[in-house]
């Protein structure tokens, strides 16, 4: 904005004391100071407001004005509340250095002037930024040489003083401003993603406002620009795959023009998202071809040939042929009207990326296919050395979901589940069919567990838990009810803690001393409780068969 516009705004109470010929100067900011040397806080173009507390005598005016001029400020405005009139020595100093000088009436607060300048300058910057973003959009959509989302986020920071980051649905940092300054922690990013997914599932329109440790963020969805013109009729089709733009500001009182600008920024970022999806097309096709060969019982030589084609695409520059792991994921929604396969595919492509990796395409060397509600990932691993058999290398089920469980649980809300199974590493095409079945069995083990997001690995398939998912539900319910319902009813009426005692007794391998110590009971009290369990159920906890029955009933219950 121009100084002339400030002078012509009656509500600001400004009176020109010097600078009639300088009123076309541009004002790019505002600063209030009473420091004798405020130069370290000035960057040029400011309207400086001062109450003159720095002035002790007439000799102070000259050095103060000289410092302002050297810093490149646009003008000085002096308040009349302290000295009634602006000192003549200050007027003369401004005239010598050609610095416009205003007097501020004592009835006008500096905050009023500051608010007006900031509002006007921000509006003008928004218009400038909108034009820049529009040019950048055309540049990015015209060819592959676009600057990416980082460039747009830098523009938001430099032109609108807005710090913003692009996050994946699991909270992984995809892009951020390159200027110095602290970014949200990994934990905060996860919480922001969870809040965004929860708000989206409730149907609330963005932006969603979230406060973390006193900092306010506004969350804008980034939806694929390549999506069909017919919007998705069910938010569950895309909620777990869309990116989001987290802006460190409260957008609740923003004017429509600024909100429109931020929505334009999300559309620009969506271009990068579409490019990322296009780059994954080859990997998805390779995965689909290999999956079809494995499921149709193709010869190992044919599968091996297809894997040799896939390896250079997934592991560019790697000389040795990789080992492979298979990860199976399934997303299921209540009612079954929403197909879970595409959602599971997008989730696996995100989950299998290192959570600490940044960028839209952080060398995610995976290939994911989907069919029905199931997605299957082929994950290549570098060949292990001869002294290792590869059984402990690669992905672990527990670690895959550790950082993503919170946001995904929020996105699945009350009507969806994600279950995931991980195979062991295999060394050849002959082992790939077995790895696929192993991963599917592990996923069924995960599905038998409570919770919205569950995983199981191949190491769990050697234990009794492999059998539990395949016991019919009515058999499970009848078995657990016959053994545990009498104990639960007794606990309800007498608060006897028999179930807790039974779990501890079995966990301590039937050791009276260790179990009594764990429960902080006298051994005689423990013997009484175990006797009551045996009396109510007709079982004998000294017999291995009865111990095993109780153990399985507790697991299935």
């Amino acid at each position: 904005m121009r100084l002339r516009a400030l002078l012509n705004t009656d509500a600001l109470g400004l009176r020109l004391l010097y600078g009639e010929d300088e009123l076309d100067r541009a004002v790019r900011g505002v600063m209030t100071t009473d420091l004798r040397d405020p130069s370290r806080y000035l960057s040029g173009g400011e309207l400086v407001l001062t109450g003159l507390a720095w002035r002790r005598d007439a000799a102070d005016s000259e050095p103060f004005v000289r410092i302002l001029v050297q810093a490149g400020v646009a003008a000085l405005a002096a308040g009349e509340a302290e000295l009634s009139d602006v000192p003549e020595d200050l007027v003369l100093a401004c005239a010598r250095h050609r610095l416009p000088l205003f007097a501020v009436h004592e009835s006008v607060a500096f905050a009023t002037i500051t608010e007006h300048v900031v509002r006007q300058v921000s509006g003008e910057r928004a218009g400038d930024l909108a034009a820049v973003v529009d040019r950048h959009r055309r540049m990015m959509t015209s060819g592959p040489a676009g600057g990416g989302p980082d460039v747009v986020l830098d523009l938001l920071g430099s032109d609108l003083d807005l710090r913003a980051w692009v996050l994946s649905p699991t909270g992984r940092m995809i892009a951020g401003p390159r200027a110095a300054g602290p970014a949200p922690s990994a934990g905060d990013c996860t919480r922001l993603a969870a809040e965004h997914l929860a708000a989206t599932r409730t149907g609330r329109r963005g932006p969603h406002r979230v406060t973390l440790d006193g900092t306010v963020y506004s969350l804008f969805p980034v939806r694929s620009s390549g999506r069909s013109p017919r919007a998705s009729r069910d938010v569950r089709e895309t909620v777990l795959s869309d990116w989001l733009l987290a802006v460190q500001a409260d957008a609740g009182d923003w004017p429509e023009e600024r909100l429109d600008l931020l929505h334009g920024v999300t559309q620009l970022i969506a271009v990068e998202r579409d490019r990322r999806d296009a780059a994954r097309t080859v990997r998805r096709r390779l995965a689909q071809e290999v999956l079809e060969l494995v499921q149709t019982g193709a010869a190992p030589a044919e599968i091996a040939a297809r894997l040799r084609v896939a390896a250079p695409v997934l592991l560019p520059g790697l000389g040795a042929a990789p080992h492979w792991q298979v990860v199976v994921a399934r997303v299921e929604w209540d009612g079954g009207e929403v197909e879970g396969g595409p959602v599971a595919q997008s989730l696996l492509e995100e989950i299998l990326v290192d959570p600490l990796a940044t960028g839209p395409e952080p060398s995610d060397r995976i290939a994911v296919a989907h069919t029905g509600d199931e997605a299957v990932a082929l994950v290549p691993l570098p060949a292990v050395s001869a002294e290792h058999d590869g059984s402990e290398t690669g992905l672990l089920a527990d670690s895959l979901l550790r950082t993503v469980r919170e946001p995904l649980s929020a996105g699945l809300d009350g009507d969806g589940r994600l279950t995931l199974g991980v195979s062991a590493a295999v060394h050849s095409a002959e082992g790939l069919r077995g790895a696929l079945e192993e991963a599917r069995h592990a996923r069924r083990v995960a599905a038998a567990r409570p919770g919205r997001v569950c995983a199981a690995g191949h190491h769990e398939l050697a234990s009794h838990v492999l059998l539990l998912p395949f016991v019919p539900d009515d058999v499970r319910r009848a078995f657990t009810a016959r053994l545990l319902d009498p104990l639960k009813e007794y606990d309800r009426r007498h608060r006897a803690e028999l179930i807790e005692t039974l779990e501890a007794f079995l966990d301590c391998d039937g050791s009276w001393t260790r179990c009594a110590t764990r429960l902080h009971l006298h051994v005689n009290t423990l013997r009484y409780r175990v006797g009551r369990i045996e009396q109510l159920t007709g079982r004998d906890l000294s017999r291995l068969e009865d111990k095993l029955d109780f153990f399985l009933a507790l697991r299935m219950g």
Side-chain angles (χ1 to χ4, degrees):
M1 66 178 304
R2 304 293 176 181
L3 291 176
R4 190 179 307 280
L6 288 175
L7 186 62
N8 293 336
T9 304
D10 294 337
L12 300 183
L14 295 178
R15 181 164 51 90
L16 183 64
L17 300 180
Y18 170 78
E20 179 69 33
D21 297 333
E22 305 290 338
L23 291 179
D24 287 327
R25 290 191 183 189
V27 178
R28 294 195 294 271
V30 62
M31 177 192 176
T32 299
T33 184
D34 275 311
L35 296 174
R36 295 172 64 84
D37 182 1
S39 57
R40 72 183 69 179
Y41 305 109
L42 298 170
S43 58
E46 295 92 349
L47 170 67
V48 174
L49 306 174
T50 180
L52 300 176
W54 50 267
R55 182 184 179 278
R56 292 172 298 187
D57 55 45
D60 291 333
S61 294
E62 174 70 21
F64 181 79
V65 171
R66 187 186 313 116
I67 288 171
L68 298 187
V69 171
Q70 290 172 349
V73 303
L76 175 64
E80 296 180 324
E82 184 71 20
L83 302 177
S84 297
D85 291 313
V86 176
E88 184 65 22
D89 51 86
L90 182 58
V91 178
L92 293 175
C94 288
R96 279 194 296 271
H97 292 279
R98 301 184 60 82
L99 179 66
L101 175 63
F102 298 97
V104 183
H105 193 273
E106 62 182 5
S107 63
V108 178
F110 283 176
T112 301
I113 300 174
T114 299
E115 181 181 355
H116 178 83
V117 172
V118 169
R119 186 167 57 248
Q120 295 298 316
V121 170
S122 296
E124 292 174 1
R125 284 182 176 177
D128 293 341
L129 180 61
V132 173
V133 168
D134 185 62
R135 289 195 300 273
H136 196 69
R137 179 188 292 113
R138 292 195 298 270
M139 179 184 72
M140 290 187 68
T141 55
S142 63
D150 292 335
V151 174
V152 184
L153 300 182
D154 286 342
L155 288 172
L156 284 176
S158 62
D159 287 15
L160 283 186
D161 297 324
L162 290 176
R163 290 176 55 76
W165 299 266
V166 179
L167 306 180
S168 78
T170 64
R172 184 175 63 85
M173 183 80 71
I174 291 174
R178 291 171 292 188
S185 66
D188 283 348
C189 288
T190 299
R191 292 165 64 191
L192 289 172
E195 293 284 352
H196 173 74
L197 291 175
T200 302
R201 285 304 312 275
T202 63
R204 292 176 13 223
R205 293 186 60 189
H208 312 301
R209 286 176 289 162
V210 178
T211 302
L212 298 183
D213 301 325
T215 300
V216 180
Y217 295 88
S218 297
L219 310 179
F220 295 79
V222 177
R223 297 191 171 93
S224 172
S225 62
R227 194 171 295 169
S228 167
R230 179 185 64 83
S232 171
R233 290 177 293 184
D234 196 315
V235 69
R236 293 175 295 181
E237 296 177 12
T238 57
V239 65
L240 297 179
S241 58
D242 283 339
W243 290 353
L244 66 134
L245 178 68
V247 182
Q248 189 175 305
D250 187 346
D253 57 354
W254 282 5
E256 286 298 323
E257 293 80 3
R258 178 170 283 208
L259 288 173
D260 288 344
L261 173 62
L262 264 294
H263 287 304
V265 169
T266 64
Q267 293 170 9
L268 187 55
I269 294 170
V271 173
E272 187 65 41
R273 167 65 189 275
D274 292 341
R275 285 185 178 163
R276 194 280 317 256
D277 286 344
R280 288 182 169 176
T281 301
V282 173
R283 290 194 291 274
R284 288 175 173 177
R285 186 170 63 248
L286 288 172
Q288 198 70 46
E289 291 174 356
V290 174
L291 179 61
E292 289 175 0
L293 290 174
V294 171
Q295 293 188 134
T296 57
E302 186 178 356
I303 298 174
R306 179 55 57 188
L307 289 178
R308 283 194 294 273
V309 173
V313 176
L314 300 177
L315 289 176
L318 191 67
H323 299 307
W324 300 87
Q325 266 183 292
V326 176
V327 182
V328 172
R330 192 176 184 90
V331 172
E332 297 172 289
W333 303 100
D334 292 351
E337 66 274 10
V338 177
E339 185 181 3
V343 179
Q345 182 182 47
S346 295
L347 279 181
L348 269 188
E349 289 173 336
E350 176 60 33
I351 291 172
L352 294 174
V353 173
D354 182 350
L356 298 180
T358 60
E361 190 71 16
S363 357
D364 46 348
R365 294 165 173 176
I366 53 174
V368 186
H370 78 83
T371 173
D373 289 331
E374 181 184 78
V376 179
L378 301 174
V379 183
L381 304 172
V384 294
S385 56
E387 62 269 18
H388 292 88
D389 62 5
S391 59
E392 297 300 323
T393 62
L395 305 171
L396 299 176
D398 293 339
S399 61
L400 279 179
L401 296 183
R402 185 176 300 127
T403 60
V404 302
R405 182 171 275 107
E406 179 185 356
L408 294 185
S409 296
L412 292 163
D413 195 24
D415 61 347
R417 286 200 78 197
L418 167 66
T419 52
L420 186 146
V422 182
S423 78
V426 295
H427 313 282
S428 65
E430 287 84 351
L432 204 55
R433 184 178 180 85
L436 176 60
E437 291 306 313
E438 188 175 57
R440 282 175 169 161
H441 279 306
R443 191 208 63 79
R444 286 194 284 270
V445 170
R449 296 171 175 168
R452 291 286 164 193
V453 180
C454 299
H458 61 91
H459 60 282
E460 300 180 66
L461 302 185
S463 71
H464 62 278
V465 297
L466 174 62
L467 303 176
L468 299 185
F470 310 105
V471 178
D473 288 344
D474 55 345
V475 176
R476 292 159 62 99
R477 285 192 293 268
F479 181 76
T480 57
R482 185 168 63 252
L483 282 176
L484 301 183
D485 280 4
L487 306 183
K488 292 177 180 178
E489 177 62 21
Y490 192 87
D491 282 347
R492 187 185 64 79
R493 288 188 284 109
H494 300 283
R495 299 182 179 178
E497 300 180 347
L498 295 185
I499 292 290
E500 179 185 354
T501 301
L502 176 61
E503 290 177 334
F505 187 72
L506 295 175
D507 196 43
C508 292
D509 299 323
S511 169
W512 297 98
T513 304
R514 284 196 288 128
C515 184
T517 301
R518 175 181 292 190
L519 295 176
H520 306 290
L521 297 175
H522 193 278
V523 172
N524 289 340
T525 303
L526 176 61
R527 290 185 184 277
Y528 170 81
R529 289 189 182 181
V530 171
R532 178 63 68 185
I533 291 170
E534 294 174 333
Q535 178 186 6
L536 291 170
T537 60
R539 299 299 185 104
D540 183 355
L541 277 169
S542 65
R543 298 178 68 247
L544 176 61
E545 293 87 347
D546 288 343
K547 286 180 181 178
L548 181 58
D549 281 350
F550 277 122
F551 179 78
L552 292 174
L554 288 169
R555 283 299 182 96
M556 289 191 291

